Amino acid sequence: MRLFGNPLTAHRYLLDTWSWLNYYFLTVQRILALPRFIRPPWWMLLTHCALILLLLISCAKQERFYGFSGFLFGSYVNIKVLEPDPVKASRAVQKAFCAMTRLDSVFSLYLPNSEINQINQKGKGKLSTDLKNLLLKALAVSEKSNGAFDITVLPLIQFWRKYFNTKELPDSWELKQTLQFVDYRKIKIQNDSVYLPDGFKLDLGGIAVGYCVDRAVSVLKQEGIKTGLIDAGGDIFGFGNRRWRVGVKNPRGEGLIRQFVITNQAIATSGDYEKFFLFGGKRYHHILNPKTGYPAWGCASVTVIAPDCVTADAYSTAIFVLGVKDGLALAEKEAGIETFIITDENSPFGGLKQYQSFNHR
């Protein structure tokens, strides 16, 4: 974890300020020692003093960016805030990062004792407030997307893992057998407990990071931070009186293919270019269709802008699985959701074609 913005900046500023004041008053003394007939009028000296003091005060209130950079959820996390007080800024970003770390211990499949792993092992379990809220949000997105987003997809992910290593295709019969353990409708939540059928396991990877970003933003605001940005592996939330410019990666080349400006909004992208292998000229990637068991083909990249990051995170996956037609229809149904879809097909734009459900500058 690395701190951006030097906490010694404030002390250096004070030293610089004292140096300038000392230099200024020595200059005034020299001026007063001049003969009266060439000395500036007293009102001119007072006006000059006032202007210098106003300038120093305005510089003292100048806001600076501070932040942490760390590693969570299997990726990088950057927290950046705009705040004149370095002590306040440091305290706020540390608390926000700690909140995300705590949630990682709830949602992560990489931590053996995480709450989600304990439920997967036992097939049931008591739900913490955060896990219950996230499960309910995930199930709501699953319902609205007609199962395109499904958190019971873990058996399917585990099934494909060995084929990603060997870069071969699975047996269709084995794949069909695995699909019987994928169906969000079979999750039962009663009061503060969850129950899974035998063989079912949960994977919150398509929604948990967005939830953690939202919680961290809440912590920053509670600490009095008015402007900031959190970027957790590409799940981004920018808040405050500032226009944040975010780029979308070209899924088939270098650089950016599009830029968006967000204000008090979240943005997330799902793409087929992070984890994949080629077989027979076809791209087999990590975003799986819960109904077919195979990778969701049709989209190369889906970006969603939403009022909160958990929504942007989940809907970017759901729309990717649905494809252009149904994905655009889903985005247009949901208030506050805007989507930008890139497909890999023959077009005048280097094989890529772009679709969007909005006119976003």
Side-chain angles (χ1 to χ4, degrees), residues 152-161 163-164 174-182 201 288-295:
T152 64
V153 76
L154 183 57
L156 203 54
I157 294 173
Q158 293 174 332
F159 174 80
W160 271 95
R161 192 166 291 159
Y163 297 101
F164 270 82
E174 291 182 359
L175 180 60
K176 186 176 180 180
Q177 293 302 306
T178 305
L179 276 175
Q180 66 181 314
F181 303 113
V182 180
K201 294 181 180 180
L288 304 175
N289 187 327
K291 295 185 177 180
T292 67
Y294 285 95

Side-chain angles (χ1 to χ4, degrees), residues 213-338:
V213 170
D214 289 338
R215 289 298 304 273
V217 169
S218 296
V219 171
L220 291 177
K221 291 181 178 179
Q222 290 169 6
E223 291 297 310
I225 302 299
K226 297 180 180 179
T227 302
L229 180 138
I230 297 180
D231 178 2
D235 286 5
I236 298 171
F237 194 107
F239 65 95
N241 187 23
R242 186 180 180 88
R243 292 163 59 85
W244 302 96
R245 189 172 297 276
V246 181
V248 176
K249 186 182 184 301
N250 184 338
R252 295 294 181 268
E254 299 296 326
L256 304 178
I257 197 169
R258 183 74 181 269
Q259 290 188 8
F260 297 99
V261 175
I262 60 172
T263 301
N264 294 309
Q265 290 172 301
I267 185 169
T269 298
S270 294
D272 66 358
Y273 48 86
E274 295 291 347
K275 303 173 186 176
F276 70 93
F277 68 92
L278 298 175
F279 188 92
K282 200 166 189 177
R283 184 180 295 252
Y284 290 82
H285 55 83
H286 70 292
I287 304 176
L288 304 175
N289 187 327
K291 295 185 177 180
T292 67
Y294 285 95
W297 290 301
C299 297
S301 172
V302 171
T303 298
V304 171
I305 298 173
D308 52 73
C309 206
V310 67
T311 299
D313 197 8
Y315 274 90
S316 66
T317 301
I319 293 172
F320 190 103
V321 173
L322 287 171
V324 176
K325 182 180 178 181
D326 292 337
L328 289 174
L330 175 63
E332 290 167 359
K333 284 181 184 177
E334 298 300 311
I337 292 181
E338 304 163 339

